[in-house]
Amino acid sequence: MTTTAEPTTVAEVGRSRVRKEDARLITGRSRYTDAITPQGTLHIAVVRSTFAHAQITGIDTSAAKQAPGVLGVYTAADLGVEGVGLPCAWPITPDQKAPQRPLLASSAVHFAGEGVAVVVARTAAEAKDATELVEVDYEPLEPVLDMEAAVGEGATLVHPDLGTNESATWVFDSAEAGTGTSVAAAIAAAEADSDSVVVRRRFRQQRLIPAFMEPRSVVVDPTGEQITFYSSTQVPHILRTMTTVTLGVPESKLRVIAPDVGGGFGGKIGVVPEEMLCVALAQKLGKPVKWTETRSESLLAAHHGRDQIQDITITAKKDGTVTGLDVKLLADMGAYLGLVGPGVPILGAFMFNSIYKFPAYKFACTNVFTTKTLTDAYRGAGRPEATFAIERIMDELAVELGRDPMELREQNWIKHEEFPFTTVCGLTYDSGNYEQATQQAMELFDYAGLRREQEERRRSGDPVQLGIGISTFTEMCGLAPSRVLGSLSYGAGGWEAASIRMLATGKVEVNTGASAHGQGHETAFSQIVADQLGVPFEDVEVLHGDTQVSPKGLDTYGSRSLVVGGIAIVNAAQKVVEKAKKVAAHLLEADESDIEFSAGTFSVRGTDTGKSIQEIAFATFMAHDLPDGMEPSLDADSVFDPENFSFPHGTHLAAMEIDTDTGRVHLRKYACVDDIGNVVNPLIVEGQVHGGLAQGIAQALFEEANYDEQGTLVNGTFVDYTLPSSADLPSFDTRVVSTPATTNPLGVKGVGEAGTIASTPAIVNGVLDALRHLGVTEVEMPCTSQRVWRAIQDAKGRATQETPVDTHSPGAGLGSIDPNNPQGEVQ
């Protein structure tokens, strides 16, 4: 019998364990999809449209077919996939317009980058070279790029057969739902009342690109009894089901594997044409087929995120008490509907009211088609957009009322003694303490001291002004409750599955349907199981990302891995203990009710007689002496479907320095305190928060997908699409507090998206707080040095024709403005 590590009485949950995964990931022993090349693999490359909107009048593949190494060039007709389209899993309304997204366009293209043909060759380079030889004749059509114009009278239609560019309009009205009063009445009353105010603002959520580290890659091997399907995906189980739905391949004949996945951020949640093309070609040719996108393809044709116009109206008494919130959104879907794209803005519908006690609330969102790359989930998926709007409008209300923005928030938020609290949109927040998180964040940040410094700089006329940005937020984590998702017409459940196998040697094998792409599942889940079973952390092996190894699952997105998948693991572990208790009672010749289990040992109450769970596992394997009728197995399965979301929250504060002469934007200090319930691994939490902050700050200051007048993405490389490096960001001061969740046995809430959700409004509020006394009322994201400088000049009434010359070195980060870099440079 193999020996095991010595048990420990120190709890694993709560320890800052270095991730198990890191050893292989940082030493080159990882296994990414692009590193997988079965014998005889053929490579494909996609011929992509250079037009955003055009009729296809002809495709000539003859020259490409003669190119070196080329084995075939296929259009939709050649491949037999005309009429085959990718499904949308979230019809948000019964009358939603959902044009079929083809695997290859055959009659028209609807965004620049859409595939029109595919080349198969012996090497990836040969396939890519041959795409240049495919001649496609286009008859250009007018692109549709502006959301408001798209829904205006006489607009060019993206899909003429639909008769409209509106996909669907989804409305929530608290008065109709019975969760609050009428917003229309609240606005009318406020407009008629001299003791009330009405504040209306328009905010813009720019289009973003997920920019995951590992490009998408697919390998399909049809040579065995099953089709083995490797993909850099967040959703192997969903991909298997959607492949069956799309191509008719029996689910039992598909084994989908997500090996090591180098990031996703929602960008790998979709089921994409290239995946289906690889399956179709592998079946047709009888050989393994592989596709790995270039970085330019990734930015051009992988789905984008955000892209909303937000019209927000808030009403309040002049004493600061909020009375109503009205939200009207236009959301750009791009040319087609993504797997869950239509529902992304709808998730935000439940978060615009945030932590505040609004008596009246209305939300209306219209999803719009344009001739751009489709949008879908991007880290936070609807929640960052909602948090941005409510935290921005709360700052605007504070300005209108002449109030300190933090005091105004505190006046209106849910107090800790009021939990559980049912909000105006009908969600029940089970636990929270906004006062505690905020107090600690302000102390960590030195809020009072920075406010004093801000006043001094204003009095002295310092050219570098200081702004303080605030974001107090909550989010709905653990995209899960199946009944809730069903009420929103979501095309799947929200449960998660887990299995625990007690091996004969005392080791533990955990199978989870939550598929990791950088979150640290193997480490955190090992810690949970180690505590539940009382086995050493090192003796737990976590398996995931393979539909044959872990056949049940709904995968990873929406901060659901811990609060849904982790609880499935806890429940499975408890079933193992209950089975083992029966064997222990039998072997110890005691009544089962007298058996106690602690730190991995079963003992008879009141005695020092006991057996370890490893001994019980071996005895069960041997099956020489088991209770009558008991099967020789301690293994257990569990499927967990929570009754509610979880609701982490926090307070994020940013100190922004703005050079009013040059427009230079500098993030001087960032502090946050997040309440994420009980913490499994503080080190992983810190990493998740830091990564999330970088992405949220990037939206505020750096990132935007820009299209020209013809609908062509003009910043489709990392030379042009600005991502921050560590040199662009300060050291973050992060802390966590805990009010445990009451809806799961671990008391956890989730943390994967918190930093992204909270940080963007904190940064923008800080930029504006530095400039309001100069008359600046708005700076569109990203708040680059160029945009900030122009806003200052506009506020001063100066001509804005001439841009300032930056005499500092680029390394100084002082907002140099390059006409070839329309986003500008921000430190």
Side-chain angles (χ1 to χ4, degrees), residues 710-721:
Q710 301 306 312
T712 302
L713 183 69
V714 298
N715 54 341
T717 72
F718 283 163
V719 174
D720 310 297
Y721 186 82

Side-chain angles (χ1 to χ4, degrees), residues 707-754:
Y707 286 83
D708 65 16
E709 294 179 354
Q710 301 306 312
T712 302
L713 183 69
V714 298
N715 54 341
T717 72
F718 283 163
V719 174
D720 310 297
Y721 186 82
T722 310
L723 293 171
S725 72
S726 58
D728 298 302
L729 301 170
S731 294
F732 302 123
D733 293 321
T734 65
R735 300 287 187 278
V736 295
V737 294
S738 176
T739 52
T742 63
T743 54
N744 66 73
L746 288 178
V748 295
K749 295 182 178 181
V751 71
E753 295 161 304

Side-chain angles (χ1 to χ4, degrees), residues 532-738:
Q532 291 292 319
L533 299 183
V535 299
F537 169 81
E538 296 80 7
D539 285 357
V540 182
E541 184 77 16
V542 177
L543 305 176
H544 59 87
D546 183 336
T547 61
Q548 188 158 293
V549 173
S550 302
K552 291 183 180 179
L554 285 174
D555 307 314
T556 298
Y557 42 86
S559 296
R560 67 190 305 275
S561 296
L562 180 59
V563 297
V564 187
I567 306 309
I569 289 172
V570 169
N571 292 345
Q574 291 174 349
K575 290 181 180 180
V576 168
V577 171
E578 288 305 308
K579 285 185 176 183
K581 184 180 287 187
K582 296 180 185 298
V583 180
H586 178 75
L587 296 177
L588 294 171
E589 299 180 339
D591 190 271
E592 189 177 336
S593 63
D594 289 328
I595 297 296
E596 297 178 330
F597 179 68
S598 177
T601 298
F602 294 92
S603 59
V604 180
R605 183 181 294 109
T607 74
D608 58 2
T609 303
K611 288 184 177 293
S612 71
I613 195 168
Q614 290 93 340
E615 291 176 298
I616 299 298
F618 187 70
T620 304
F621 167 75
M622 295 295 290
H624 293 170
D625 186 14
L626 295 180
D628 291 341
M630 183 172 182
E631 296 179 352
S633 171
L634 300 181
D635 301 347
D637 302 334
S638 176
V639 176
F640 177 65
D641 195 351
E643 296 181 359
N644 195 6
F645 301 98
S646 67
F647 300 96
H649 66 83
T651 296
H652 288 230
L653 300 168
M656 307 300 300
E657 290 184 328
I658 310 294
D659 189 323
T660 58
D661 290 333
T662 67
R664 176 204 185 209
V665 180
H666 172 62
L667 172 54
R668 171 176 149 186
K669 185 174 185 177
Y670 196 100
C672 62
V673 175
D674 287 294
D675 185 336
I676 57 172
N678 291 333
V679 175
V680 173
N681 186 316
L683 190 62
I684 290 178
V685 166
E686 187 176 11
Q688 288 278 21
V689 171
H690 282 207
L693 293 178
Q695 284 185 274
I697 293 166
Q699 177 175 7
L701 297 180
F702 295 93
E703 294 187 46
E704 181 174 21
N706 293 310
Y707 286 83
D708 65 16
E709 294 179 354
Q710 301 306 312
T712 302
L713 183 69
V714 298
N715 54 341
T717 72
F718 283 163
V719 174
D720 310 297
Y721 186 82
T722 310
L723 293 171
S725 72
S726 58
D728 298 302
L729 301 170
S731 294
F732 302 123
D733 293 321
T734 65
R735 300 287 187 278
V736 295
V737 294
S738 176

Side-chain angles (χ1 to χ4, degrees), residues 33 68 86 130 185 252 267 281 290 293 313 336 383 519 578 583 613 722 744 795:
T33 303
L86 293 171
S252 60
L281 285 163
K290 182 175 183 177
E293 70 183 351
T313 302
Y336 302 103
R383 280 84 45 84
Q519 294 88 342
E578 288 305 308
V583 180
I613 195 168
T722 310
N744 66 73

